[in-house]
Amino acid sequence: MPLNKITRRTALLGAAALAVPMPAFALTEPQARRYVQNIIDDFLETINSNASDADILLRFRQVFSSYADFPTIARLVLGAPWRTLSANQKTAFSEAFADYLSDKYGQRFRAYRGATITITRSVDAGRKGILVYSSVARVGQAPFDLDWQVSDGSGQTKMLDMIIEGISLISSEREEIRARLSGNRGNIDRLIADLRG
Amino acid sequence: MNIISRTFLRLPVVLLAGFLAGCAANTPTQEDHIYDPFEATNREIHDFNKAVDQALLAPLSGIYGAIIPEEFQYFLGNAVTNLGQPNAFVNHVLQGDGDAAGDTLVRFVLNSTIGLAGMFDPAAEIGVFDQPTDFGETLAVWGVGEGAYIELPLLGSSTVRDTIGMMVDFGIDPLKYALSDEQASYLFTARVLNLLGKRHEYDDLIRALLYESADSYTAQRLSYLQNKRHALAGETTIDDLEDPYALE
């Protein structure tokens, strides 16, 4: 495939010459696994703490916000309408979505109290980032798969997606947000208010 | 969330027919590769299923969970799983998976004897775990595409491939030929009771999906399809991932 090679090299040279900013995918698999291990540690510490329910949810929100790439997730979840939003609306939607998501998953993950989560392996997914596999074990129950998509494409290493037994957080929330947007007759400001609940 | 497919959406073997006429084309196009040409009909069935859950399944499973001792629920769950092994064995063989077929056979023999008719699971104690499968998976291994998404009355989420698989399983299950009519009716009752137990066990997740989603139809459809594809592939693949910077 010499032609391919030339095209690719030419494109790269061209990009370099024009100083076009290209995302630098420098994240390595060991770095991504360490990053996910940090998420898991903070996450388990939070749900296993003896703090009040309200404090745990608050802490969960902080943990989630520090690791998840909310601007990117918000954009992916909203899809095409994202491009029609004003800068203010984009910020408002990202923030409302982040709070909504943290609360929703915080509630749900309380059930993981006492679980152990073990990273099993990882794979380099190219421009999609790094896919890190982990397994969640709870006493007396069958273990299940929890996979993580981590990328530094935004400039910082961040979590993009969590996939539980194949079910992607981004896909599920895209369905949910889409349904809520049409429930609000496509009005983004009403959707934002709806998310703030 | 395995849960979802294993219990509520993929209820065990009861029969169903007639609905498949005209399911031909097989090209997933949309986002998340969802092909749902029968959405209007599916949604009507979904509303019916949801009403059945609300009126019958949810309350009955609450009663089941409250009055049936956990030990009994555990024994029943094991016994029902054990009686699924012969059919799983046949399908592992059809898939050419000798290892899984061997494990399944060992499980059935051990658990049916030492495990007291399958109430206990001594096979798992020695590391031979359940490897559930069905003819839908056999078709997938043989290269048959998933086909359109369908929601079946009472049985929940399925695809054309899995619906055909379910009907074939009904015919090839060795148990069907080994049991008397009376025994078969006990087995059916046991499966229904076990289903109530599962509905009870995963009540939180099912409630969130059915009653807290903005659109429970699409939420259930997505969960079923992604979970099913994951189970068939055995893992999340790079193809499954979002390409976060493709839109920009």
Side-chain angles (χ1 to χ4, degrees), chain B residues 122-172:
Chain B
E125 309 278 329
I126 57 165
V128 185
F129 295 104
D130 185 31
Q131 297 177 63
T133 187
D134 52 30
F135 197 75
E137 182 165 2
T138 299
L139 288 173
V141 170
W142 290 353
V144 177
E146 174 180 272
Y149 174 78
I150 356 184
E151 186 160 340
L152 301 171
L154 300 178
L155 302 175
S157 291
S158 190
T159 57
V160 170
R161 182 180 63 201
D162 283 333
T163 305
I164 294 170
M166 198 163 46
M167 294 198 260
V168 173
D169 278 324
F170 190 78
I172 64 175

Side-chain angles (χ1 to χ4, degrees), chain A residues 121 133 147 168 174 178, chain B residues 31 226 235-236 242 244 247:
Chain A
R121 64 205 166 91
Y133 296 89
D147 306 325
S168 142
R174 184 159 45 218
R178 194 171 286 173
Chain B
E31 212 159 35
Q226 288 198 331
E235 62 177 18
T236 301
E242 295 282 331
L247 246 173

Side-chain angles (χ1 to χ4, degrees), chain A residues 11-25:
Chain A
L12 282 170
L13 281 174
L18 294 166
V20 174
M22 291 180 63
F25 296 111

Side-chain angles (χ1 to χ4, degrees), chain A residues 51-69:
Chain A
S52 70
D53 282 11
D55 283 348
I56 288 180
L57 280 184
L58 195 68
R59 174 79 187 116
F60 190 81
R61 195 185 271 200
Q62 291 165 350
V63 170
F64 221 37
S65 306
S66 62
Y67 289 110
D69 182 358

Side-chain angles (χ1 to χ4, degrees), chain A:
Chain A
M1 317 232 274
L3 194 67
N4 238 344
K5 236 178 206 165
I6 290 165
T7 325
R8 194 165 154 250
R9 188 187 297 154
T10 319
L12 282 170
L13 281 174
L18 294 166
V20 174
M22 291 180 63
F25 296 111
L27 184 66
T28 65
E29 286 187 53
Q31 285 169 341
R33 286 200 300 269
R34 264 200 303 282
Y35 188 76
V36 171
Q37 188 61 55
N38 291 341
I39 308 179
I40 292 172
D41 291 344
D42 280 2
F43 173 70
L44 288 179
E45 192 190 318
T46 304
I47 54 173
N48 289 324
S49 87
N50 290 318
S52 70
D53 282 11
D55 283 348
I56 288 180
L57 280 184
L58 195 68
R59 174 79 187 116
F60 190 81
R61 195 185 271 200
Q62 291 165 350
V63 170
F64 221 37
S65 306
S66 62
Y67 289 110
D69 182 358
F70 274 118
T72 305
I73 297 172
R75 172 170 60 77
L76 288 173
V77 157
L78 197 56
W82 176 262
R83 276 176 269 189
T84 67
L85 266 53
S86 71
N88 282 342
Q89 281 176 321
K90 282 180 181 172
T91 311
F93 175 73
S94 297
E95 285 174 4
F97 176 72
D99 289 349
Y100 147 85
L101 200 69
S102 305
D103 287 352
K104 179 171 173 178
Y105 283 81
Q107 298 280 5
R108 199 165 290 178
F109 290 154
R110 294 298 303 279
Y112 291 13
R113 205 179 161 95
T116 44
I117 307 179
T118 316
I119 294 177
T120 50
R121 64 205 166 91
S122 58
V123 58
D124 191 332
R127 55 182 271 159
K128 293 176 172 181
I130 309 277
L131 174 56
V132 178
Y133 296 89
S134 72
S135 175
V136 181
R138 288 165 303 166
V139 179
Q141 279 172 295
F144 63 88
D145 294 341
L146 172 59
D147 306 325
W148 312 78
Q149 184 182 3
V150 177
S151 162
D152 63 354
S154 66
Q156 258 186 309
T157 302
K158 288 279 180 187
M159 182 199 100
L160 277 170
D161 204 358
M162 282 173 83
I163 302 157
I164 303 171
E165 282 284 317
I167 304 171
S168 142
L169 180 152
I170 290 180
S171 300
S172 309
E173 290 307 322
R174 184 159 45 218
E175 297 273 22
E176 178 70 15
I177 296 300
R178 194 171 286 173
R180 286 192 188 216
L181 183 60
S182 77
N184 286 297
R185 294 174 195 186
N187 184 317
I188 196 77
D189 294 320
R190 282 174 52 183
L191 171 66
I192 293 167
D194 180 12
L195 288 175
R196 285 182 178 143

Side-chain angles (χ1 to χ4, degrees), chain B residues 41-60:
Chain B
T41 313
N42 283 341
R43 277 188 183 274
E44 284 173 25
I45 294 168
H46 180 76
D47 290 343
F48 168 75
N49 286 343
K50 210 169 145 178
V52 171
D53 181 71
Q54 200 158 17
L56 285 173
L57 212 48
L60 286 178

Side-chain angles (χ1 to χ4, degrees), chain B residues 76-132:
Chain B
L76 184 72
N78 279 346
V80 167
T81 305
N82 190 51
L83 291 174
Q85 304 292 310
N87 190 54
F89 173 79
V90 171
N91 279 299
H92 283 310
V93 169
L94 291 174
Q95 291 159 24
D97 189 343
D99 288 347
D103 282 1
T104 304
L105 188 62
V106 167
R107 280 183 61 79
F108 186 64
V109 170
L110 269 183
N111 289 357
S112 301
T113 53
I114 304 170
L116 303 178
M119 289 199 300
F120 294 90
D121 190 356
E125 309 278 329
I126 57 165
V128 185
F129 295 104
D130 185 31
Q131 297 177 63

